[in-house]
Amino acid sequence: MTWDFAESNPLSNSTGNYMGSLEYITKVIGHQSSSTQGYVDVRQHNAVTIKGFKEKILISTDPPYYDNIGYADLSDFFYVWLRRSLGSVLPNLFQTMLVPKSEELVATPYRFGGSKEKAKNFFEKGLGEAFGRMREIAHPDFPVTVYYAFKQSETDETDDDQHGDSPAVASTGWETMLTGLIQAGFQITGTWPMRSELANRMVGQGTNALASSIVLVCRPRPQDAGTVTRREFVSSLKRELPQALRELQQGNIAPVDLAQAAIGPGMAIFSRYHAIQEADGNIISVRTALGMINQMLDEVLAEQEGDFDANTRWALAWFSQYGLEEHSYGEAETLSKAKNTSVQGMVEAGILHAKAGKVRLLRRDELPKAWQPQQDKNIPVWEATQHLVRVVQDEGEEAAATLSLQLGDMADTARELAYRLYRICELKGWTQEALAYNSLVTSWSEVSRLAIKAQNIKNIQGSLDL
């Protein structure tokens, strides 16, 4: 147990107090659109062995996150006091000294004598059985929806090396959950990124914590689903994933969530088949598929570089190798020839500092705060993006909306570059820089709204002047 920030102070006079929390609930109830009276039947059951449903049901679930949160252990903190105060009122709920833990579906090694392998096997077996039971009782007319907000975080350098793929960025939690779904006979048919996490929650401050839950939409896989080769699977990924990713970007999904959301359409392709075979006859695992999907994400984002000018393509290549650090003029000059530009041209464009045989990209705090795009004849997308990030962070969304109007169509290309830059920062572990690009995209909906509003006002004023 470690000290952390409380979610709220119910006794305070500021946001998060008791009355404020109650007000949120009353607002929701007051705006409910449902006109029919619902039926509530609350039961506590083990999901692996659940019974008693006379009809097929609609299932929407948030499964346990492997070993990420030990709810039963945490609940002991409250249980011991509730047992003292309510034990005589609700004796059936407080029969045990502490919260029962043996059937909790988490991979906690200490419950298995410290064995990670036994904990892993317990979790995988239980989750597979739970998903299998869900498939039996789920209503055929409705999909099963599975919420998941556990970030991919593990890098497996050895996975799939024989095929030359990049290291798989995955997580045991994701892998286990997806494996359980697929082995239970489900096919993933859709992905819904859902903004479920408060941007101002304490765990999200200064981190790249997920802003969204990823909702996987699942239906039973057809019995006649076939087996395909690895080559056919890769071809399907190349054909279908780019469009799916573009749609996610057009929906303004946060860069921090893009890799997670890409799992959905990628696994939709993977899960439509009974199996995918290697050339040697071995079956491709979910972890290997996750690595291939991540690699395809990088390829799609890299292909989008064709939308950028030569100076921006140089800046991207330099940034991915050196970040904002200084390196030799010779290396910069060699790279500039490959990108069909020049070091001096980029200095004049306002994105580069070159002195005493050393070169580095300009930091955002070095950019001119009074920059006017109309007066700049040479604007690389890189420069526009850095100015937009700086204005969002320092001056707010309204100022960013004004700047986006001045940039015109380049503003949308700058947002596209922010996705690419975020991905580079994420893979390099540059968390603070990654957050800067993530903040630009997450602010974009409001920036666009304010820009449209300002443009409409300008148009009205222009018509009145006529």
Side-chain angles (χ1 to χ4, degrees):
M1 183 177 289
T2 59
W3 290 104
D4 202 348
F5 293 98
E7 287 290 334
S8 63
N9 179 1
L11 305 180
S12 74
N13 293 320
S14 58
T15 303
N17 61 30
Y18 180 82
M19 292 306 296
S21 300
L22 187 62
E23 185 181 356
Y24 291 146
I25 298 171
T26 58
K27 282 182 178 179
V28 171
I29 295 173
H31 288 81
Q32 284 285 6
S33 59
S34 175
S35 59
T36 58
Q37 186 174 354
Y39 170 68
V40 178
D41 181 8
V42 180
R43 311 183 196 180
Q44 185 178 28
H45 277 293
N46 185 330
V48 175
T49 59
I50 189 168
K51 296 179 182 179
F53 292 101
K54 297 179 181 178
E55 300 177 349
K56 299 287 186 177
I57 62 172
L58 185 151
I59 298 175
S60 185
T61 183
D62 188 0
Y65 293 178
Y66 198 70
D67 60 353
N68 197 37
I69 302 174
Y71 285 110
D73 290 314
L74 291 171
S75 62
D76 275 339
F77 179 85
F78 303 96
Y79 181 86
V80 292
W81 300 106
L82 290 171
R83 187 171 184 270
R84 289 173 68 92
S85 58
L86 296 175
S88 59
V89 180
L90 301 167
N92 291 336
L93 291 181
F94 296 98
Q95 293 178 0
T96 57
M97 292 293 293
L98 295 173
V99 173
K101 301 178 180 65
S102 61
E103 294 182 338
E104 185 186 19
L105 200 54
V106 290
T108 311
Y110 85 85
R111 297 183 189 170
F112 298 90
S115 172
K116 289 185 178 180
E117 188 63 26
K118 289 182 179 179
K120 178 176 179 288
N121 292 339
F122 168 79
F123 183 85
E124 290 179 352
K125 181 175 181 293
L127 194 65
E129 291 176 351
F131 282 139
R133 185 69 185 125
M134 289 179 199
R135 192 180 187 282
E136 292 174 9
I137 64 177
H139 198 292
D141 293 343
F142 303 101
V144 172
T145 51
V146 181
Y147 290 69
Y148 210 69
F150 188 29
K151 187 171 174 59
Q152 297 184 88
S153 57
E154 301 169 12
T155 302
D156 185 353
E157 297 285 350
T158 61
D159 187 81
D160 222 30
D161 283 345
Q162 69 270 29
H163 298 286
D165 293 342
S166 59
V169 182
S171 79
T172 305
W174 265 108
E175 178 191 1
T176 305
M177 188 196 69
L178 291 167
T179 300
L181 276 170
I182 292 168
Q183 289 183 351
F186 279 112
Q187 173 185 348
I188 298 164
T189 59
T191 310
W192 301 337
M194 181 174 289
R195 186 54 53 88
S196 60
E197 313 300 324
L198 283 172
N200 61 349
R201 71 197 193 282
M202 295 308 300
V203 72
Q205 301 301 303
T207 71
N208 66 341
L210 289 179
S212 306
S213 292
I214 307 303
V215 185
L216 298 176
V217 186
C218 310
R219 290 185 182 274
R221 186 170 55 249
Q223 295 294 330
D224 58 353
T227 299
V228 298
T229 65
R230 177 191 177 96
R231 182 183 295 274
E232 290 173 299
F233 173 55
V234 171
S235 296
S236 296
L237 280 179
K238 289 183 176 180
R239 184 172 59 253
E240 299 177 40
L241 198 56
Q243 180 58 34
L245 292 175
R246 278 192 289 272
E247 289 175 0
L248 287 169
Q249 287 178 308
Q250 289 167 1
N252 214 52
I253 186 171
V256 69
D257 297 332
L258 185 61
Q260 303 295 106
I263 290 174
M267 292 308 298
I269 299 168
F270 181 83
S271 63
R272 75 172 59 139
Y273 305 111
H274 174 70
I276 298 171
Q277 284 186 327
E278 300 277 16
D280 59 8
N282 289 327
I283 302 301
I284 288 181
S285 68
V286 167
R287 175 166 284 255
T288 299
L290 287 172
M292 295 166 71
I293 293 166
N294 273 291
Q295 183 184 23
M296 188 62 62
L297 170 63
D298 290 334
E299 290 179 9
V300 171
L301 292 176
E303 287 173 2
Q304 292 177 351
E305 291 180 20
D307 297 337
F308 307 141
D309 54 90
N311 288 342
T312 297
R313 290 197 298 272
W314 182 94
L316 262 174
W318 184 267
F319 181 75
S320 64
Q321 190 167 1
Y322 302 121
L324 300 175
E325 295 179 356
E326 242 182 10
H327 279 274
S328 75
Y329 187 98
E331 291 179 76
E333 185 68 20
T334 300
L335 180 60
S336 70
K337 290 177 180 177
K339 300 295 182 183
N340 196 29
T341 183
S342 69
V343 171
Q344 185 56 36
M346 288 182 286
V347 171
E348 293 172 358
I351 67 172
L352 202 63
H353 174 82
K355 188 176 182 181
K358 296 289 185 180
V359 169
R360 65 172 173 81
L361 289 163
L362 288 176
R363 302 186 306 272
R364 281 185 293 277
D365 60 8
E366 297 175 299
L367 298 176
K369 291 182 172 53
W371 183 64
Q372 294 294 324
Q374 304 93 322
Q375 300 172 9
D376 193 338
K377 296 181 180 179
N378 181 11
I379 306 177
V381 176
W382 177 278
E383 182 182 22
T385 304
Q386 302 304 329
H387 275 288
L388 279 166
V389 171
R390 177 189 61 79
V391 171
V392 164
Q393 290 184 322
D394 297 346
E395 303 175 39
E397 293 165 342
E398 193 162 349
T402 301
L403 179 57
S404 72
L405 281 175
Q406 295 171 349
L407 289 167
D409 292 340
M410 185 179 284
D412 286 322
T413 312
R415 182 183 73 104
E416 191 175 292
L417 175 59
Y419 278 102
R420 179 74 176 125
L421 289 170
Y422 176 87
R423 183 65 173 166
I424 291 171
C425 294
E426 182 181 43
L427 294 174
K428 294 285 187 178
W430 301 335
T431 303
Q432 290 305 313
E433 190 69 7
L435 285 169
Y437 301 117
N438 189 67
S439 67
L440 174 62
V441 177
T442 54
S443 302
W444 201 253
S445 294
E446 182 63 12
V447 169
S448 298
R449 187 189 69 81
L450 291 170
I452 292 170
K453 180 181 177 182
Q455 186 62 53
N456 289 339
I457 292 172
K458 185 177 180 181
N459 292 340
I460 293 171
Q461 289 175 336
S463 63
L464 290 174
D465 291 339
L466 291 174

